[in-house]
Amino acid sequence: EKSMDKARKGDPIKTPAQLAPSIFDTKPVILQKTDTKLRYTKKDWIFVIALTLVYGILAVTNLGSTKAPDSEWKGTPGTTVTLTFDDTVTIGSVWHDGGITGGSGSKGTTAFKLTGDDGKSVEIDQRFGTMYRWVRNSSLHSTTKNITLTVVSGEAWINELAFFDTAGNLLHVTVNDASAAALVDEQDCVPEYPSYMTGMYFDELYHARTAYEHLHNLSVYEVSHPPLGKIIISVGVAIFGMNPFGWRIMGALFGVAMIPLMYAFGKRMFKRPELALLAAGLFAFDFMHFSQTRISTIDVYGVFFNMCMTYYMYKFIKMDLGDSLKDTLIPLGLSGLFFGLGCASKWICIYTGAALAVMFFVKMITLWVKANKIKNAKLTKAEEADPAVANARKFPARFIKTCLFCLLFFIIIPAAIYSAAYRPYYTAQWKPNAEQTKIARLRAAGQLEYNEEPEGEVLTFSEKVKTYVDGVIDNQKYMFSYHSGLNSTHPYQSAWYEWPLGNRPVWFYSGGQNPDTTKFGTISTFGNPAVWWICFAGTLTLFIMFLRNRFRLNAEIFFIFACMASSMLPWMLISRCVFVYHYFATVPMIILASVYVLKHYEDKFYYIPLERGDMISGGAKFVPKIKFIWLAAAIVLFAVFYPVISGIQVSREYIRALEWLPTWTFFGTW
């Protein structure tokens, strides 16, 4: 026994991470069918359901109000409306909630004037940056019984007007014209004070607006990204209305769906429920994941589909010759389907598509070499009957079938999904414009009288197809030109090498309109230090250990590095201004990389010695507890920083105390 103990102590421990073969390994080993099932235990189900429910509650709590004016009044220059109070009042402030109007810039192109009986008046600009939010104006100090609204320029679009006296009380007001009743018919929607809960902020002005335009067949404003993300946003608007909750709920639900997806990633890669919980928990309580999925922008959809398509590609590259062609095509088909959905949401998925292609061809070429070696090997009768050998002998045909399948699922179907997403553009803009152009051409040629309208369909089938295809192609040219030629600067931009440590958060929102001036609400997007800072160290450790030949380039490391490269290299190679939220797609990978390193050390210092019967020191007994301490730290920091990622009102002193780095600002100024 003593000699055996001595031999065991002298036997260096090799962990599964160190023993895992290289992704390029072509040894003619005949493997059985891969077990691709996740094999969730009761503990797994408890972990994933509990974590998803907890995060789901956090995600929808204070997401936005469902009460917003949904009837609008529109007026052209010269239009007037008289509003009457119950008695003579002194106006302290005027609030208005406007729709899509006004143009961009500091002044905009639309304005309306409010004039009291005493002749005092104020001219209020409506501009792009103030749509679907309550705007307060305190310049009209009129003592009056009536207010005359006059549209000065542009087309005014007012969802609701609200008047307050000098004491801050909401004044009851009526209109003299029933056609203008929408101006003051939803006074119950007037909030205590304007905030993110009652209006748009940051790039919601682009994406939530476009979702509304899709629903109402209007010309589309935001065309610098593919349409699918905004179409998904429009689903929430269709169900809940054009209100903050309605335009944010779909993003929040996709953010919730990322949690069980990340858990599945962790379970598939690490096998242990506790490590899967760690991976999913770190992602759930990351600040950026929370803030980016609760704002109505398209990043969440691109990242979600990105995770889905890489998940299924990882499943594919873990399979081998023992698996049937049918079994390997299922994850490939799902990866391609999500690739198409992702590309139609945001171009970041096209970048990841390059990583998918690299992983696919590396795997297929490796299998081809391995299949040839098996075919040329001397095999026993039992080995000859193995399905893996039969698959090896038929591999050239299998390779061609798989490539043709990928041609369908990674090119044809994604192209179809991508093109189909442009239907709202076609119905609202491209088709009407093409019809008007053709009618004008027919009239100019004398084939149609000036006042005559054509009968039936104006465009032929081929003309409709050409209009659609030309529109899609033109938009791709515009998007490429827009993003490649964007030379503007921004106070919150940051270089790619600043992202891993969250050096410069992007400030989304400030809510300084609380009557209690000691309180402030703010939303910024950046990383949880317990996630990003530790994962930066973990990812760096993995890279160094690989360079020092501690790990081979196995399937897991190859997958992580390929995904990280595809999500980071594009931003490293371009000169346009970029922001820390472009790192969002990389966050799941740095978490997986770091948990991979942690698992290696757990195996080395605790689980393998425990299995071998070695004596485990006190320090080694502590190793399995690290994951729980790490997750607890992430949860604690999430709670501490919750006010600056959620927008809830807290004291200014508390917010200022969270500005840990000189480059962190949660007030919008340094």
Side-chain angles (χ1 to χ4, degrees), residues 502-515:
N503 186 51
R504 189 178 292 273
V506 175
W507 185 52
F508 279 169
Y509 160 82
S510 70
Q513 301 192 56
N514 191 327

Side-chain angles (χ1 to χ4, degrees), residues 358-505:
V358 169
M359 287 186 272
F360 170 77
F361 283 110
V362 164
K363 183 66 178 180
M364 293 302 292
I365 293 170
T366 301
L367 288 179
W368 190 313
V369 174
K370 184 176 180 179
N372 280 335
K373 289 183 177 180
I374 290 176
K375 283 192 295 183
N376 296 326
K378 292 182 179 180
L379 304 173
T380 65
K381 271 192 174 182
E383 289 174 331
E384 287 282 359
D386 195 284
V389 176
N391 291 335
R393 298 196 187 283
K394 297 182 293 185
F395 193 79
R398 178 169 173 160
F399 181 88
I400 293 172
K401 290 176 182 178
T402 303
C403 288
L404 290 174
F405 181 85
C406 288
L407 178 67
L408 174 64
F409 273 87
F410 283 90
I411 297 178
I412 297 174
I413 290 178
I417 293 171
Y418 193 92
S419 300
Y422 277 93
R423 181 168 176 76
Y425 288 42
Y426 173 75
T427 58
Q429 294 168 264
W430 301 344
K431 183 182 178 184
N433 291 344
E435 288 175 338
Q436 291 303 314
T437 300
K438 184 174 181 180
I439 290 171
R441 190 171 65 248
L442 291 173
R443 286 173 177 163
Q447 298 175 358
L448 199 65
E449 295 296 329
Y450 181 73
N451 292 322
E452 182 185 358
E453 293 295 329
E455 296 181 3
E457 287 286 343
V458 176
L459 302 176
T460 65
F461 177 76
S462 61
E463 288 172 334
K464 289 178 181 178
V465 172
K466 185 177 186 307
T467 298
Y468 200 106
V469 172
D470 287 348
V472 173
I473 292 173
D474 287 344
N475 187 241
Q476 308 319 298
K477 292 177 180 177
Y478 169 78
M479 286 192 290
F480 179 79
S481 174
Y482 173 82
H483 291 292
S484 62
L486 188 63
N487 293 318
S488 62
T489 58
H490 195 282
Y492 298 100
Q493 71 183 65
S494 54
W496 63 268
Y497 50 81
E498 297 179 88
W499 299 345
L501 298 180
N503 186 51
R504 189 178 292 273

